[in-house]
C-alpha cells in the first residue's frame, strides 16, 4: 500500500530551519546600535592616547633645555641648538614642536597638532604647551592634555 504524503499549505512546514528576514534585520539593527555607541568612545580614547606623542617630545625638549642651561647658563632659543631634541616634529609625526619666548632663565615650547595628521580633530588639545621659568615647569593648556 502506498502512503500518501500530506502536503500543508503552511510554507514553513516544508522549509529548512533557518532565520527569517525580520530576525536578521533585528540582529543587524542591534549590532549597528552597539557599534554606533562604541566607535566614538574608541576614537576619543585613541585621540587621548596619541597626546602622549606631544608630551614625550616636550619632555625630551625640557631635558635637553636643562642640559643646555647647565652648560651655557641660559636656555636655547632654537631647537637645533639642543642635543637630543633637534627634530621639530614629534617622534610619531603627529605634532610640530616649536620654542617660543626663549630668553635667559625662561622658555616656552609648543606642540601643535599637524593639520594633516591623526590629531587634527583634537580641538581640546590641538596645542600643548610647556612653560619653564627658572627650572619650574608649567604644563598647559590643561593637565588632561598631558594625560595627568
Amino acid at each position: 500500500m502506498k502512503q500518501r504524503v500530506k502536503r500543508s499549505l503552511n510554507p514553513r512546514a516544508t522549509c529548512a530551519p533557518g532565520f527569517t528576514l525580520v530576525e536578521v534585520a533585528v540582529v543587524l539593527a542591534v549590532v549597528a546600535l552597539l557599534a554606533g555607541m562604541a566607535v566614538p568612545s574608541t576614537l576619543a580614547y585613541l585621540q587621548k592616547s596619541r597626546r602622549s606623542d606631544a608630551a614625550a617630545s616636550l619632555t625630551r625638549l625640557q631635558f635637553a633645555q636643562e642640559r643646555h642651561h647647565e652648560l651655557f647658563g641660559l636656555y636655547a632659543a632654537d631647537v637645533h641648538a639642543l642635543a637630543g631634541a633637534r627634530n621639530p616634529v614629534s617622534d610619531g609625526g603627529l605634532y610640530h614642536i616649536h620654542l617660543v619666548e626663549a630668553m635667559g632663565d625662561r622658555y616656552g615650547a609648543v606642540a601643535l597638532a599637524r593639520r594633516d595628521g591623526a590629531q587634527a580633530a583634537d580641538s581640546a588639545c590641538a596645542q600643548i604647551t610647556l612653560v619653564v621659568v627658572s627650572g619650574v615647569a608649567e604644563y598647559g593648556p590643561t593637565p588632561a592634555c598631558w594625560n595627568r
Side-chain angles (χ1 to χ4, degrees):
M1 216 189 248
K2 286 185 178 179
Q3 285 187 345
R4 286 188 154 189
V5 177
K6 187 176 181 183
R7 295 189 182 214
S8 171
L9 295 176
N10 183 355
R12 287 188 58 92
T14 58
C15 291
F19 298 107
T20 65
L21 184 60
V22 172
E23 292 169 332
V24 172
V26 168
V27 168
L28 288 176
V30 169
V31 168
L33 181 68
L34 291 175
M37 290 188 308
V39 168
S41 173
T42 303
L43 291 177
Y45 176 77
L46 286 173
Q47 205 170 55
K48 181 180 175 183
S49 69
R50 286 190 294 247
R51 291 176 189 158
S52 64
D53 184 37
S57 293
L58 289 174
T59 301
R60 187 171 32 263
L61 184 134
Q62 182 180 9
F63 290 143
Q65 280 283 35
E66 292 304 323
R67 274 193 306 257
H68 190 275
H69 189 270
E70 185 68 28
L71 292 173
F72 301 106
L74 56 113
Y75 292 115
D78 185 22
V79 174
H80 300 290
L82 299 172
R86 292 183 176 155
N87 193 358
V89 177
S90 64
D91 289 340
L94 300 172
Y95 293 87
H96 290 289
I97 309 298
H98 303 284
L99 275 175
V100 292
E101 303 176 26
M103 55 185 150
D105 68 339
R106 68 175 284 131
Y107 71 91
V110 178
L112 291 170
R114 292 179 56 180
R115 292 182 194 158
D116 60 344
Q119 287 298 94
D122 188 4
S123 59
C125 298
Q127 180 174 324
I128 299 176
T129 60
L130 169 69
V131 176
V132 176
V133 179
S134 299
V136 179
E138 192 175 305
Y139 306 99
T142 65
C145 292
W146 284 79
N147 294 329
R148 295 179 184 205

